[in-house]
Amino acid sequence: MLLAIDVGNTNTVFALWDGAEFVSMWRTATEVQRTADQYYVWLSTLMKLRHLEDVRIDEAIVSSTVPRVVFNLRVLCNRYFDCRPLVVGKTECHLPASPRVDPGTQVGPDRIVNTAGGYDLHGGDLIVVDFGTATTFDVVGPDGAYEGGVIAPGVNLSLQALHDAAAALPLVDVTMPSHVVGRNTVDCMQSGIFWGYVGLVSGLVARIKAERARPMTVIGTGGLAPLFQQGDTLFDVFEDNLTMHGLTVIHTYNKEFQE
């Protein structure tokens, strides 16, 4: 069984892949101080609750935007599952298509994984919009190569910054407001965030398409993507587990590469 681990700046997702589908998936807060032993206690407890305690994990792959977390995840896999994890972004991890970016540029593992997952599911000429801690736009070429993108502040990050910088503004949740023009402070903030991000996404997608001058499929992913799809037709398709699927694609490619 393959253990796929995606470490984001805010949350970390663990998933079990049996070669055909995800058997189970769990999410926890990303904490750099968490030890391998703590990971194992948490994961083994959740596996037992799903009656998966007899599952044998013998392979692992990790994508992490938080480098300090990787060491303890390596220890987790080595100590408790007797396997060496494949780490996306390291030299030993081969990619289906090399990124086409400026020399010396380090492409984030999350963007590499989204590219691989998107291309496997929908072919090339893609724009992947990921609503995470940052809102990222990944451009995928016709051959599946990452060709660059855009990074904007994440939705919740913007809300937090607005609250922190303006003492009179409360911390509000993200929702689709009933009207664009708010008649109280909370409604005004929710409208600004919601419709502001709808405009940001639609505007950037339009500019990317114009710059590329060819048809492109827009994929939405990340926790808030379905919410923003309500406000406009921002995406052609929504993929809930795109990042995790991309991890399985890269893992399979590396197994075949070694054969």
Side-chain angles (χ1 to χ4, degrees):
M1 186 80 71
L2 172 68
L3 175 62
I5 306 173
D6 172 46
V7 183
N9 289 295
T10 304
N11 292 314
T12 299
V13 179
F14 288 69
L16 294 178
W17 173 259
D18 66 3
E21 62 181 0
F22 288 109
V23 175
S24 196
M25 196 173 295
W26 303 277
R27 184 180 299 268
T28 185
T30 299
E31 297 178 1
V32 296
Q33 70 272 24
R34 188 171 295 176
T35 67
D37 299 330
Q38 289 174 315
Y39 277 121
Y40 180 72
V41 170
W42 172 81
L43 182 60
S44 60
T45 301
L46 291 175
M47 290 177 64
K48 187 173 183 179
L49 290 173
R50 296 282 181 89
H51 306 291
L52 297 170
E53 61 268 28
D54 294 329
V55 167
R56 181 173 178 267
I57 296 172
D58 54 6
E59 297 177 300
I61 183 169
V62 176
S63 168
S64 178
T65 59
V66 186
R68 289 174 59 192
V69 173
V70 174
F71 174 78
N72 281 318
L73 291 175
R74 285 186 185 271
V75 175
L76 167 72
C77 296
N78 291 330
R79 179 179 298 167
Y80 291 103
F81 306 126
D82 194 28
C83 67
R84 178 181 174 84
L86 185 67
V87 180
V88 179
K90 300 298 183 182
T91 54
E92 66 271 16
C93 180
H94 302 281
L95 302 178
S98 298
R100 285 193 286 271
V101 294
D102 291 342
T105 299
Q106 294 292 323
V107 181
D110 54 332
R111 311 187 80 174
I112 292 173
V113 172
N114 280 348
T115 295
Y119 182 73
D120 182 70
L121 293 171
H122 300 284
D125 288 326
L126 306 175
I127 302 171
V128 180
V129 186
D130 189 348
F131 287 83
T133 305
T135 302
T136 59
F137 299 72
D138 301 325
V139 176
V140 184
D143 60 347
Y146 173 83
E147 294 188 333
V150 178
I151 301 175
V155 178
N156 288 314
L157 191 63
S158 295
L159 279 170
Q160 187 66 51
L162 195 60
H163 170 67
D164 291 344
L169 297 181
L171 190 60
V172 301
D173 61 341
V174 185
T175 186
M176 180 179 175
S178 57
H179 299 88
V180 176
V181 179
R183 300 182 64 180
N184 57 68
T185 300
V186 170
D187 285 353
C188 290
M189 293 177 66
Q190 290 178 330
S191 182
I193 287 294
F194 184 86
W195 292 112
Y197 270 85
V198 167
L200 181 146
V201 172
S202 59
L204 282 172
V205 164
R207 288 178 178 274
I208 292 170
K209 287 182 174 180
E211 190 171 274
R212 296 283 149 165
R214 60 178 183 261
M216 303 188 78
T217 300
V218 183
I219 301 175
T221 191
L224 291 175
L227 171 65
F228 282 92
Q229 184 75 336
Q230 298 178 49
D232 205 347
T233 308
L234 296 179
F235 321 120
D236 297 310
V237 63
F238 169 70
E239 294 290 352
D240 189 23
N241 297 319
L242 182 66
T243 303
M244 304 311 292
H245 178 73
L247 283 171
T248 69
V249 171
I250 293 176
H251 180 265
T252 298
Y253 179 80
N254 278 265
K255 287 187 68 174
E256 294 172 349
F257 186 88
Q258 295 169 2
E259 293 177 354

